[in-house]
Amino acid sequence: MDKKSKILLIVLILLTVLSIGYTFWKTVIQQDFEVSEEVPVKE
Amino acid sequence: MLDFSLTCSDASSAVWGLLDFSIAPPLLFYAYIPIIVISLFLGGFVLIKEKFSLRSKLLFIVSIIFTSLLLNEILLWIAAPVSLVEFGWQLEPLFRILVAVFTVYFIYAFINKRDLPFTQKLILGTAYISVILLTPTTSNIVFFDLNNCEGIPGRLFDLTHLFEVVSMLWVAVITVKNSLQASMPKSEKYQNAFLGGAAVLFLLVFFASTFFGDVTKVYEIGLLGPVGMVTFMAFLTFIIVRYRAFNIKLIGAQALIVSLVVVIGSEFFFIQNTTNQILTAITLVITGFIGINLIRSVKKEVAQREHIEKLAGELQATNERQETLMHFVGHEVKGFLTKDAGAFAAISQGDFGQCDVNMKPFVERALVESRQGAASVENILKASNLKKGTVAYTKAPFDMKELVAEAVEKAKPAAGLKGLTLTFTADEGSYQMNGDKAQINDHVLRNLIDNSINYTPSGSVAVSLKRASTKIIFEVKDTGIGITDEDKKRLFTEGGHGKDSQTVNAHSTGYGLYIAKQITEAHNGTIRAESEGEGKGTTFFVELPVKPVS
């Protein structure tokens, strides 16, 4: 694998870990998401 | 602190307060668990067998991501806390786009046998980044619908579906582009077409099932998606067995069938429904039956193939040894015959004093036969060198008409000795061409003229030259013994003798016309013979390309 591809791979892995980590923290730990018991009318 | 107190309304008796198996459809376990095991097994097996080659690593990554996606799907069905279900819904586009990205990457690397160019990696990476950046936002899951216990998909799901369609087309383009390569062997083309087709089918089933699941809100349709992976794996197994892709032999097929039987059998441990138990039992029996037959047939085929390959290897080695020996013997014999010919010539010409009158005819006869012997050995060595491709051609412009006229002149004594009429005619026009003059003269012109003289007991041999716009046509027509249809088939083959050729010409090696054909073809020309049959004469045609007359 060439150097440019390695950098791209590392960037993508880091972003993935950060994104999943942040989503887990926000959703499961902070419970920061909207919950509705009614299905809204679509736009 | 983690708070799992908020659960979906239909959740009941959750295991450890986290998992609820009551609402999960049986198909979820029936379809997903075997697929996970098979894809992981095949991916891991290929990875180890291929010693971590790029394509095997990519296939393994595809199977890992696919497994993660399926585990996430299972989580969506069995997780009781709303936060976990919401988290699972949020990860959905990420896994989906990763499956599409790595399927494209794998197919490219497999078919083209090289890494994906960086620009294409960048395009795939950009699509992926846009998904991971939007994962924690409301563009992914707008809100959580507690009534139906599901996330309401946002625009990110549309983007993911769009990319799935793009990746499907991408794989199709890679496959079609590859099949248009003229230089590729047919078997490799079929292999690549099978795999590319399977990947397109996989992405299509995968995309269509979730797309319609999302649109109709009947998420059970989405459960059919991973069936596409089964198709993909089935095609992959087929090309492994049929085309020996990934260099996996019998063990691959055996292990696959065994794991399939074990996985299907293991379903009895958690399937409670009688209908599903009967269905599983039938599947198990059918899989077992087909599996045993498949293993038997693969075993037989692999054994036969290995035996043939072994024999072919041995044959090649023997041929090479024989070729080397023949070369050595040929050179030795040619050396002795040349020396003998030199000695006989010296005796005949009186270099060692006046040759005895009674002895002279014998010496001259010995001289002719030594020369014929040396020429025969030379022919065999030449044919061997042509076959090995070690003959060098020195091409330069020359006049074909002059060369043919000289060749005819040199052959006249031999024709005269047999009482044959040897004539040469040439049409008007330029006969300048580019080629190896010596090779054409010695092995094409002389060969064909001598051949006609040798096989014509009486009558004539007519040599002619004709000029067409882009070629020179050299013809040798005789009134000789002719060629039967049976002999025509082996006329230009290596060592190919006619049925009666050695009766008429005892010195025939069977290599003359083979050499003439090789040399003609090395000049991009063609050679052929026409004869109406035995005793009706033969005409040889040599057509050599030349630049059009301006």
Side-chain angles (χ1 to χ4, degrees):
Chain A
M1 195 185 272
D2 60 300
K3 206 178 171 184
K4 282 189 287 183
S5 299
K6 271 183 188 162
I7 294 168
L8 181 68
L9 184 69
I10 291 166
V11 169
L12 291 179
I13 291 172
L14 278 176
L15 282 173
T16 307
V17 171
L18 285 174
S19 176
I20 294 177
Y22 176 66
T23 309
F24 184 81
W25 177 81
K26 188 171 172 267
T27 311
V28 182
I29 298 174
Q30 295 293 306
Q31 310 258 328
D32 181 11
F33 58 96
E34 197 184 328
V35 178
S36 170
E37 292 200 38
E38 287 174 42
V39 181
V41 179
K42 265 206 156 185
E43 289 168 33
Chain B
M1 244 344 246
L2 294 170
D3 178 13
F4 293 134
S5 56
L6 182 63
T7 57
C8 287
S9 56
D10 54 359
S12 62
S13 61
V15 180
W16 309 311
L18 292 174
L19 308 173
D20 173 20
F21 294 92
S22 62
I23 54 160
L27 185 66
L28 181 75
F29 301 109
Y30 188 76
Y32 284 22
I33 293 174
I35 294 168
I36 288 174
V37 176
I38 293 167
S39 69
L40 275 181
F41 166 77
L42 202 64
F45 192 79
V46 167
L47 183 74
I48 294 162
K49 273 280 169 185
E50 282 257 312
K51 294 173 185 155
F52 296 83
S53 68
L54 175 67
R55 61 184 194 169
S56 70
K57 277 194 264 188
L58 290 169
L59 182 67
F60 186 65
I61 291 171
V62 170
S63 60
I64 290 283
I65 297 166
F66 200 75
T67 300
S68 310
L69 175 79
L70 295 191
L71 290 174
N72 190 51
E73 294 274 345
I74 293 174
L75 176 79
L76 290 181
W77 282 98
I78 64 169
V82 166
S83 57
L84 278 186
V85 182
E86 167 77 2
F87 180 60
W89 271 94
Q90 285 174 318
L91 294 186
E92 189 79 0
L94 192 136
F95 288 129
R96 298 191 68 85
I97 201 154
L98 273 177
V99 168
V101 163
F102 277 97
T103 304
V104 170
Y105 196 171
F106 165 67
I107 294 296
Y108 185 94
F110 185 94
I111 288 182
N112 295 305
K113 295 192 185 86
R114 61 172 187 269
D115 198 2
L116 192 70
F118 184 72
T119 44
Q120 293 190 37
K121 282 182 189 167
L122 212 55
I123 295 167
L124 290 174
T126 310
Y128 177 64
I129 284 175
S130 62
V131 171
I132 48 177
L133 291 179
L134 292 173
T135 296
T137 70
T138 49
S139 297
N140 186 1
I141 300 298
V142 186
F143 65 89
F144 192 84
D145 172 12
L146 206 55
N147 278 341
N148 295 313
C149 196
E150 64 190 28
I152 302 299
R155 291 281 170 236
L156 186 59
F157 275 69
D158 298 335
L159 182 74
T160 312
H161 290 322
L162 178 71
F163 187 78
E164 279 167 348
V165 174
V166 170
S167 62
M168 211 161 63
L169 295 174
W170 199 327
V171 169
V173 168
I174 294 170
T175 312
V176 171
K177 219 171 147 185
N178 172 268
S179 67
L180 296 176
Q181 279 181 29
S183 57
M184 187 171 284
K186 259 190 179 173
S187 64
E188 209 176 319
K189 274 188 186 177
Y190 287 143
Q191 173 188 301
N192 293 342
F194 270 121
L195 192 69
V200 171
L201 203 64
F202 160 57
L203 290 170
L204 182 70
V205 175
F206 193 47
F207 157 72
S209 61
T210 43
F211 178 74
F212 290 114
D214 288 349
V215 169
T216 58
K217 303 286 176 201
V218 181
Y219 294 108
E220 281 79 0
I221 296 176
L223 286 173
L224 297 171
V227 174
M229 189 62 166
V230 178
T231 322
F232 186 54
M233 288 295 167
F235 272 89
L236 201 60
T237 310
F238 173 72
I239 64 162
I240 285 170
V241 175
R242 177 72 181 82
Y243 298 107
R244 302 173 72 189
F246 293 116
N247 205 21
I248 295 173
K249 292 181 188 169
L250 181 62
I251 188 80
Q254 279 175 331
L256 194 72
I257 297 300
V258 170
S259 69
L260 203 62
V261 169
V262 169
V263 165
I264 295 171
S266 68
E267 303 232 336
F268 282 112
F269 291 102
F270 55 82
I271 288 176
Q272 306 297 323
N273 183 307
T274 316
T275 317
N276 278 344
Q277 279 178 340
I278 294 168
L279 198 63
T280 307
I282 293 169
T283 315
L284 187 66
V285 170
I286 293 172
T287 311
F289 178 74
I290 294 173
I292 288 166
N293 281 305
L294 179 71
I295 290 171
R296 271 189 193 159
S297 88
V298 171
K299 204 171 174 178
K300 200 174 162 189
E301 198 187 318
V302 169
Q304 280 175 341
R305 199 162 51 202
E306 281 177 350
H307 184 62
I308 291 167
E309 277 170 8
K310 191 178 162 220
L311 289 179
E314 284 172 4
L315 193 65
Q316 197 182 349
T318 310
N319 272 347
E320 279 167 13
R321 279 199 300 273
Q322 270 189 339
E323 196 102 336
T324 313
L325 182 68
M326 195 188 78
H327 249 264
F328 173 74
V329 173
H331 276 290
E332 287 291 300
V333 172
K334 191 184 150 196
F336 290 129
L337 287 170
T338 310
K339 281 179 202 161
D340 287 351
F344 289 132
I347 295 168
S348 169
Q349 285 161 13
D351 289 0
F352 305 109
Q354 191 65 37
C355 182
D356 186 81
V357 181
N358 295 326
M359 199 170 78
K360 199 167 182 182
F362 294 104
V363 172
E364 280 174 353
R365 183 78 198 147
L367 174 62
V368 168
E369 288 190 351
S370 299
R371 281 177 177 161
Q372 277 174 341
S376 293
V377 176
E378 173 67 29
N379 261 352
I380 294 168
L381 290 173
K382 184 86 185 173
S384 170
N385 288 337
L386 280 165
K387 199 177 156 192
K388 283 197 290 185
T390 53
V391 173
Y393 293 94
T394 315
K395 292 185 180 178
F398 68 92
D399 189 333
M400 184 70 163
K401 192 174 166 181
E402 275 179 20
L403 198 66
V404 176
E406 276 174 34
V408 170
E409 279 310 307
K410 281 181 185 163
K412 273 190 173 163
L417 279 174
K418 287 184 81 176
L420 301 174
T421 314
L422 177 62
T423 57
F424 171 53
T425 54
D427 287 357
E428 287 298 309
S430 165
Y431 290 93
Q432 277 292 323
M433 68 166 281
N434 197 43
D436 191 322
K437 188 178 169 182
Q439 303 268 24
I440 289 180
N441 179 58
D442 296 348
H443 301 291
V444 182
L445 307 183
R446 290 297 307 272
N447 213 328
L448 293 184
I449 296 169
D450 290 348
N451 202 58
S452 283
I453 293 169
N454 286 334
Y455 292 99
T456 305
S458 62
S460 64
V461 174
V463 179
S464 65
L465 265 183
K466 285 174 188 154
R467 175 68 211 249
S469 66
T470 57
K471 60 189 175 187
I472 291 173
I473 305 158
F474 169 71
E475 273 182 40
V476 184
K477 187 177 182 178
D478 64 50
T479 55
I481 60 167
I483 310 165
T484 61
D485 287 341
E486 192 58 31
D487 286 348
K488 271 182 196 165
K489 290 176 197 162
R490 48 176 180 260
L491 202 59
F492 296 102
T493 58
E494 193 183 4
H497 285 289
K499 189 164 62 79
D500 301 319
S501 66
Q502 281 175 308
T503 317
V504 183
N505 176 18
H507 300 289
S508 166
T509 58
Y511 286 95
L513 291 177
Y514 170 75
I515 296 169
K517 184 173 189 275
Q518 299 302 312
I519 287 169
T520 305
E521 285 176 354
H523 287 81
N524 301 317
T526 57
I527 185 167
R528 67 178 203 280
E530 284 178 10
S531 174
E532 285 178 13
E534 215 169 335
K536 293 180 178 172
T538 308
T539 309
F540 282 92
F541 298 88
V542 175
E543 296 183 356
L544 293 162
V546 284
K547 282 180 187 167
V549 184
S550 52

